[in-house]
Amino acid sequence: MRTVHHDDIGITGKPMLLTRSHCESYVHRQRWALKALNGLVMWVMLSLTATSPAHGSSGEELIIRIEVADRSEATIDTAAREAVARALLQRSGDRDLLEHPVVQAALASARAQLSLFQFERVQGSTRFVAHIDQTALEQLIREANGTLWAELRPPILLWLVVDEKDGRRFGNQTEEEALWESMTEEFDALGLNLRRPLYDLTDSLSVSPEALWQRDFDAIIEASGRYGMTHLLVGRLIRLSEGRYIAEGIYSDGAEERFSTVQADSVASVIDPGVRLATAEMQLRYAVELTGAATQRSLIISVRNVISLEDYKAVTRAMTSIQTLERVRPLSVDGDMLVLEVFGISEPETLMRLMASLQDLQWLTSDPERGLELVWRDS
């Protein structure tokens, strides 16, 4: 115990004695005040962000370039329609989407769907350059009840094997180059990334043309491991007379396989079944359904380990970056638990696909009956 002089004056203006109990009481009040202040700041942040829209990468522009013959009004209308159609295919991977009445109406006035267009000259050719707002594009897909690719989707590795009268060989000769180029263009147009093996000595030691032809997926998967890819497409090609082919595509993701076979008289006819097969399988895993406002509902999610104001801001910033989300609304803060309501996604599985790139947010439970719960792990 000590005597307090002029610096320790109580509210009466008289000197006072400061005991251990006074110190403990003072420290307790300080801690309570800091906790209350932190809570107050969090609630202020809640009120400020309660109606904040989501601003993910979808707000960026998609740029489509189309080679044109001139700069006439008719050419602009035609190129604008092609640009919007290409953009829709890249974002959705769904050819049938272009036949939806809502999309057909948008294509009929395609120039109005562009945020900007211009022309450029490249090596003597004229190109129409269309700038398309991705948020507007997603809204159009939503109105048509279409699907949208998730940002993270793996490439597809295509192994091609050709059956000839002299035997079977890898499909890496000059004769197959046009097929490879057409396949790559088709996959690019649908928002997918097609890769081809090197077909070098290392590949030959891992998998033979005969193993490809016999669908030996143990060997195929082992050879594909070199490229770090698990989504595989095996193409088997038989050349017939008069430019005709028999082509078979086998798609595998390591768990199951799908097949398609076609007799064709052109490269386009040869590749189409394989492209459709691979696209359909990828859509099952990496495309998300967008629904109109009339059928849309929100999801409530809880995020643990949100301790500081910086945690709160980081979590809300991460959530608002998610594709297709229209709005993220904070509901409450209880201890280290932040509760959010998200609009624009109606299924937990869809949300999980779209959050695959958010490494600091890990799922604890994704069962709607038990509640959607994540934990924040700031790296």
Side-chain angles (χ1 to χ4, degrees), residues 3-253:
T3 302
V4 182
H5 300 289
H6 63 280
D7 288 332
D8 297 324
I9 305 297
I11 59 173
T12 62
K14 298 179 181 180
M16 60 179 292
L17 295 179
L18 190 62
T19 65
R20 180 182 298 274
S21 62
H22 283 115
C23 291
E24 292 174 350
S25 177
Y26 176 77
V27 170
H28 175 75
R29 287 197 301 269
Q30 285 284 80
R31 288 176 177 171
W32 181 89
L34 287 173
K35 184 176 180 181
L37 180 59
N38 184 64
L40 178 61
V41 171
M42 293 288 276
W43 277 108
V44 169
M45 291 299 295
L46 283 175
S47 65
L48 289 175
T49 59
T51 58
S52 295
H55 297 286
S57 60
S58 59
E60 301 173 357
E61 285 188 331
L62 190 63
I63 299 177
I64 305 292
R65 288 177 167 84
I66 298 170
E67 191 166 317
V68 294
D70 55 55
R71 305 188 182 197
S72 66
E73 292 296 311
T75 295
I76 292 174
D77 287 338
T78 301
R81 181 184 178 91
E82 183 178 347
V84 173
R86 284 191 190 182
L88 287 168
L89 285 179
Q90 284 185 15
R91 297 295 286 139
S92 71
D94 183 7
R95 291 188 179 104
D96 294 337
L97 179 69
L98 301 183
E99 304 303 320
H100 193 282
V102 170
V103 174
Q104 284 286 306
L107 292 175
S109 58
R111 194 189 298 198
Q113 310 301 319
L114 309 182
S115 56
L116 172 70
F117 72 85
Q118 62 196 77
F119 292 91
E120 64 182 16
R121 294 282 292 176
V122 178
Q123 297 179 345
S125 298
T126 302
R127 294 198 299 194
F128 177 84
V129 183
H131 297 246
I132 305 171
D133 180 73
Q134 294 201 57
T135 300
L137 201 65
E138 288 180 9
Q139 182 58 34
L140 180 58
I141 296 173
R142 187 184 301 279
E143 291 174 4
N145 293 323
T147 59
L148 184 75
W149 286 124
E151 286 184 356
L152 290 182
R153 50 192 182 278
I156 299 171
L157 184 65
L158 171 60
W159 292 93
L160 183 62
V161 58
V162 180
D163 183 75
E164 297 180 329
K165 62 180 180 179
D166 297 329
R168 292 162 183 160
R169 61 173 178 81
F170 290 131
N172 63 334
Q173 304 298 318
T174 305
E175 298 94 311
E176 290 81 53
E177 195 58 37
L179 188 148
W180 277 107
E181 290 177 1
S182 296
M183 286 283 282
T184 301
E185 290 174 2
E186 283 294 310
F187 275 85
D188 285 345
L190 294 169
L192 293 172
N193 185 1
L194 184 70
R195 304 280 183 85
R196 62 192 291 181
L198 295 175
Y199 292 117
D200 58 6
L201 179 60
T202 301
D203 284 341
S204 299
L205 293 174
S206 299
V207 63
S208 65
E210 187 63 27
L212 290 175
W213 191 266
Q214 297 299 331
R215 308 172 188 164
D216 182 356
F217 271 95
D218 288 339
I220 296 170
I221 290 172
E222 180 181 352
S224 302
R226 172 191 185 188
Y227 302 97
M229 301 183 202
T230 58
H231 290 266
L232 312 174
L233 183 62
V234 177
R236 306 198 314 172
L237 187 65
I238 303 175
R239 297 184 188 276
L240 305 177
S241 60
E242 300 179 354
R244 294 185 59 81
Y245 307 85
I246 296 177
E248 181 183 61
I250 308 104
Y251 178 89
S252 171
D253 64 354

